[in-house]
Amino acid sequence: MIQTDSDSSRRVAYFYNRFIGKFQYGKEHPMKPKRIIMAHNLIVNYGLFRQMDVYLIREAQLQEIGKFHDPDYIIYLSQFMSQNKINFVKEYCSANNESVIPENLLEEFKLIIKWSQQQKVKTENSEFKVGDSPDNPTFSGLFSYCQLSSGASIDCAHSILTGQADIAINWSGGLHHAKKKEASGFCYINDIVLCILELLRVYVRVLYVDIDCHHGDGVEEAFYLTNRVMTLSFHQYGDDFYPGTGQLNSVGVGVGRYYSVNVPMKPGMSDQPYIEMFKKITSRVMQVYRPDCIVMQCGADSLSQDKLGGFNLSIKGHGACVQYMKQFGIPMILLGGGGYTIQNVSRCWAYETGIALGQQIDEAIPSNDIYYDYYSPDYLLHFPIKQNVENRNKTEDLNKIVSTVYDYLSHIEN
Ligand code: ZLV
Ligand code: CA
Ligand code: ZN
């Protein structure tokens, strides 16, 4: 392992719970929580976990989720899912030859009912239909999955605020499409918004940077009217690419005007132009906004060969963006997000865990990894980038985006 920067003194908090990788959206569904276990195994087998503070992810409680989401929606999700949760527990019990539901889960179930009564929520005939969309199916343990993912992002914020860590990592977070009372784009509970709201209890300005191939619409919408969070999303845009928002001219409203920044691009973006765009824009953003903290969504569907995304980045290119944000030297939270070619997602997030630690991990995938076969045929960290992919972004179009963004940012008072 090679030390990559002089600043190795930064403490890294890493949040993990193996249960999160056990949930399944469905056999045909592109979102595979298993990739979190795969990333974790690389992190362990590369020896990175020994250099970090490793914390067990806990489930966020209803009141915490209620800091952003609509009570009706939470109850709908939790009530609806609690039956599934019981099924999940029953399945677990039968698989493990245990006949009773664990006491702590029954207690939690009672709490959910009590909370819903306090909130005076009608739990029957609910208008929310989570299970109707193939993007957002219901599955066994769905609500627990949401609670774990968001519990970790909230605790990332706490570890930063208490000074326990300089960088906090939750690869099971980054679910940027979830809205106040709506599930969308594989996301149900917006862990990022919950994380940022915690940070805002102390910090004046929070910068959100989103390099997932999709637009970070849920986070943008939550903070569209405020100047205390600047949201910055780089994404593929056009030809009905999901979700269809994130135009260059979506800049925020009221006091939030110019505090939403969007960088829409066509398919085929490769390392060199992407990194150039990224550096030009984030350097100016840091200069004018001077945030107290950075929350970075590191969606890995912007990598080459992703099943959904159309960009052509290498892991090194993707990681260069993380490295660039790190060198500003302010507290930072790294979250996961999309990523559908799972053997590349785990490679990418292991590599970026190394970046957080100032360690360049070896090119050879550790041979003791139980998912070793996923890394065939080369068993290497960096996968080859297809050279015959056309970058459909013209240099002049990209330059125009940068100059327009600079123009918007010039309206921000120093
Ligand atoms: O990576 O989906 O295009 C963060 C993230 O940003 C759509 N959904 C919706 C709108 C109408 N459509 C199609 C519905 C399809 C439902 C199932 C798939 C199944 C197989 C293969 C691909 C998809 C799919 N769905 C591809 N793109 C979509 C998007 C949602 C993308 C969410 C990205 C989430 C975690
Ligand atoms: Ca994005
Ligand atoms: Zn995505």
Side-chain angles (χ1 to χ4, degrees), residues 28-31 134-135 174-177 185-187 212 214 240 242 297 301 308 337-340:
E28 303 297 313
H29 199 286
M31 178 58 106
D135 273 347
L175 302 178
H176 60 179
H177 297 305
F186 316 162
C187 310
D212 188 288
H214 298 92
D240 288 332
Y242 186 86
Q297 197 267 21
D301 49 6
L308 301 194
Y340 307 99

Side-chain angles (χ1 to χ4, degrees), residues 35-260:
R35 68 212 173 111
I36 309 298
I37 305 184
M38 291 169 64
H40 178 78
N41 280 5
L42 288 182
I43 288 163
V44 169
N45 290 322
Y46 270 116
L48 293 172
F49 78 106
R50 280 187 264 112
Q51 305 166 57
M52 312 186 276
D53 294 319
V54 180
Y55 295 94
L56 182 68
I57 294 176
R58 59 162 184 109
E59 295 179 337
Q61 298 306 297
L62 301 182
Q63 308 87 279
E64 297 178 279
I65 294 173
K67 294 270 162 43
F68 173 57
H69 289 281
D70 181 87
D72 266 342
Y73 175 60
I74 302 170
I75 288 306
Y76 173 72
L77 216 52
S78 66
Q79 287 256 329
F80 187 71
M81 296 315 145
S82 51
Q83 187 56 52
N84 276 349
K85 183 163 186 168
I86 287 174
N87 292 343
F88 187 71
V89 174
K90 278 182 183 159
E91 279 168 31
Y92 173 88
C93 290
S94 65
N96 291 282
N97 264 338
E98 295 166 25
S99 55
V100 284
I101 292 171
E103 193 61 32
N104 59 332
L105 287 167
L106 276 179
E107 280 307 310
E108 192 186 316
F109 185 57
K110 285 181 205 156
L111 267 175
I112 289 173
I113 293 168
K114 193 172 155 203
W115 192 72
S116 72
Q117 284 163 349
Q118 282 169 358
Q119 302 282 326
K120 298 188 175 58
V121 170
K122 285 199 216 87
T123 52
E124 288 136 42
N125 306 322
S126 178
E127 69 202 86
F128 304 105
K129 292 185 178 62
V130 180
D132 279 1
S133 131
D135 273 347
N136 289 77
T138 56
F139 52 86
S140 207
L142 166 59
F143 193 63
S144 309
Y145 165 75
C146 297
Q147 286 177 292
L148 289 167
S149 156
S150 53
S153 293
I154 292 167
D155 281 353
C156 279
H158 292 157
S159 73
I160 295 288
L161 291 176
T162 57
Q164 283 170 294
D166 306 303
I167 302 178
I169 302 176
N170 170 25
W171 295 129
S172 68
L175 302 178
H176 60 179
H177 297 305
K179 310 288 163 28
K180 190 181 167 75
K181 43 174 137 181
E182 190 190 340
S184 75
F186 316 162
C187 310
Y188 304 81
I189 294 294
N190 200 314
D191 63 289
I192 309 170
V193 172
L194 295 171
C195 170
I196 294 174
L197 287 173
E198 281 305 292
L199 295 169
L200 289 176
R201 291 167 67 159
V202 175
Y203 293 138
V204 179
R205 289 179 301 275
V206 175
L207 172 64
Y208 172 67
V209 182
D210 184 319
I211 59 170
D212 188 288
C213 194
H214 298 92
H215 176 229
D217 58 351
V219 186
E220 177 181 280
E221 186 178 299
F223 301 112
Y224 211 55
L225 300 170
T226 181
N227 54 13
R228 291 190 57 203
V229 180
M230 180 178 278
T231 59
L232 165 58
S233 176
F234 297 81
H235 46 267
Q236 184 176 331
Y237 180 81
D239 296 327
D240 288 332
F241 191 73
Y242 186 86
T245 49
Q247 305 91 312
L248 186 56
N249 65 4
S250 301
V251 295
V253 162
V255 288
R257 189 162 168 86
Y258 304 120
Y259 293 87
S260 291

Side-chain angles (χ1 to χ4, degrees), residues 32 37 50 62 76 82 95 104 139 167 178 197 244 246 266-267 278 284 288 321 330 335 347 351 357:
K32 306 282 181 207
I37 305 184
R50 280 187 264 112
L62 301 182
Y76 173 72
S82 51
N104 59 332
F139 52 86
I167 302 178
L197 287 173
K266 296 196 173 79
F278 185 87
R284 184 64 65 94
V288 302
C321 299
I330 65 171
L335 304 174
R347 285 172 158 121
Y351 179 73
L357 287 162

